[in-house]
Each structure stands twice: as C-alpha cells, then as structure tokens.
C-alpha cells in the first residue's frame, strides 16, 4: 500500500481556497502551535505556490477528516491509502509520496527488536485505518 494525497471530486483550479484535512501522523503531517507541518504540508505548499492555490489547513482526527471529505467540507485529505472502495468515491493522485511504514513504541529498556517479538503483546491501532 502507498500513502497518497487524496483529492475530493471537484475542480480544484476553480476553488479560491482549498481546504486540506490534516491529522496527527508525524512526520508526514501534524499541527504544532496551530500551524500545519510535515512532509505532506511541505509538498502541498510547494504545489500551491506553483499553481497559485490558497490552502486552508483543517485539523481534526483521521475519522473526522475522512467524514469531512465525504461530506464535501474539505477538498483534500493528506496521507490516505488507496483502496478500490475509496476510489469509487474519491480521486487519488497517480504518484505516491512515501511508502507505508510503521513504528513500534515501547518503554525504555523494552526487549522488542523485530516483528516476532510482538507475539502475545497488545498492539494499538488507529480506529478505521485501512491497515
């Protein structure tokens, strides 16, 4: 799977301001002191400058922003994976920005060094995430 920029089905060139949903997924996208930051924000800001777009970053949770995209309250959602089901509703970019990755956090002094070390451990995931 790939992490992709996702565009809602509308003519972005005609939009005076493009509303971009962001949620906390460092280092790809996050909000710090009220300012959207991260790799996807840098990429979008560069594209917006080249294309003459005005971007408005809309913070929220993953679930909130997916619902906002579906309801037309935002125009674009960063860091979302492609699926055939999602492609029935939304338009995806053809190019990917990053490949999927994961992070395992553990207490200092923990013994997890590889995937097999996760056997019989509790693992938290993002509710509603495609993975």
């Amino acid at each position: 799977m790939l992490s992709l920029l996702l565009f809602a089905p509308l003519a972005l060139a005609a939009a005076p301001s493009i509303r971009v949903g962001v949620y906390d997924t460092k280092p790809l996208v996050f909000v710090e002191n009220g300012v959207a930051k991260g790799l996807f924000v840098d990429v979008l800001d560069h594209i917006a400058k080249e294309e003459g777009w005005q971007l408005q970053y809309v913070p929220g949770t993953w679930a909130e922003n997916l619902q906002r995209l579906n309801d037309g309250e935002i125009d674009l959602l960063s860091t979302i994976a492609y699926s055939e089901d999602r492609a029935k509703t939304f338009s995806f970019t053809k190019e990917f920005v990053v490949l999927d990755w994961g992070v395992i956090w553990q207490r200092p002094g923990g013994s997890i060094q590889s995937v097999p070390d996760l056997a019989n451990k509790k693992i938290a995931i993002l509710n509603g995430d495609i993975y």
Side-chain angles (χ1 to χ4, degrees):
M1 272 304 161
L2 306 173
S3 291
L4 303 167
L5 298 175
L6 175 70
F7 291 85
L10 63 97
L12 291 178
S17 179
I18 299 168
R19 299 159 300 180
V20 181
V22 294
Y23 64 99
D24 188 30
T25 183
K26 286 183 180 178
L28 300 178
V29 65
F30 58 99
V31 177
E32 186 174 272
N33 298 322
V35 178
K37 296 183 176 185
L39 175 63
F40 278 82
V41 172
D42 293 345
V43 169
L44 285 173
D45 285 348
H46 177 76
I47 293 169
K49 182 178 177 183
E50 293 292 316
E51 296 296 327
W53 299 345
Q54 297 295 316
L55 300 179
Q56 175 190 359
Y57 291 100
V58 181
T61 66
W62 159 251
E64 288 170 337
N65 279 321
L66 187 59
Q67 188 61 51
R68 287 174 180 154
L69 185 68
N70 194 56
D71 294 344
E73 295 173 12
I74 60 174
D75 306 305
L76 185 148
L77 180 57
S78 63
T79 59
I80 181 170
Y82 174 87
S83 75
E84 289 184 18
D85 189 48
R86 289 176 181 168
K88 292 175 185 174
T89 305
F90 307 119
S91 298
F92 286 80
T93 60
K94 302 270 187 249
E95 301 293 328
F96 62 90
V97 177
V98 296
L99 294 174
D100 291 329
W101 51 275
V103 176
I104 303 295
W105 298 95
Q106 62 181 327
R107 293 185 176 117
S111 61
I112 298 171
Q113 298 295 315
S114 64
V115 173
D117 294 335
L118 296 172
N120 301 314
K121 305 280 190 224
K122 290 185 181 181
I123 300 174
I125 60 170
L126 180 63
N127 186 28
D129 190 35
I130 198 166
Y131 306 110

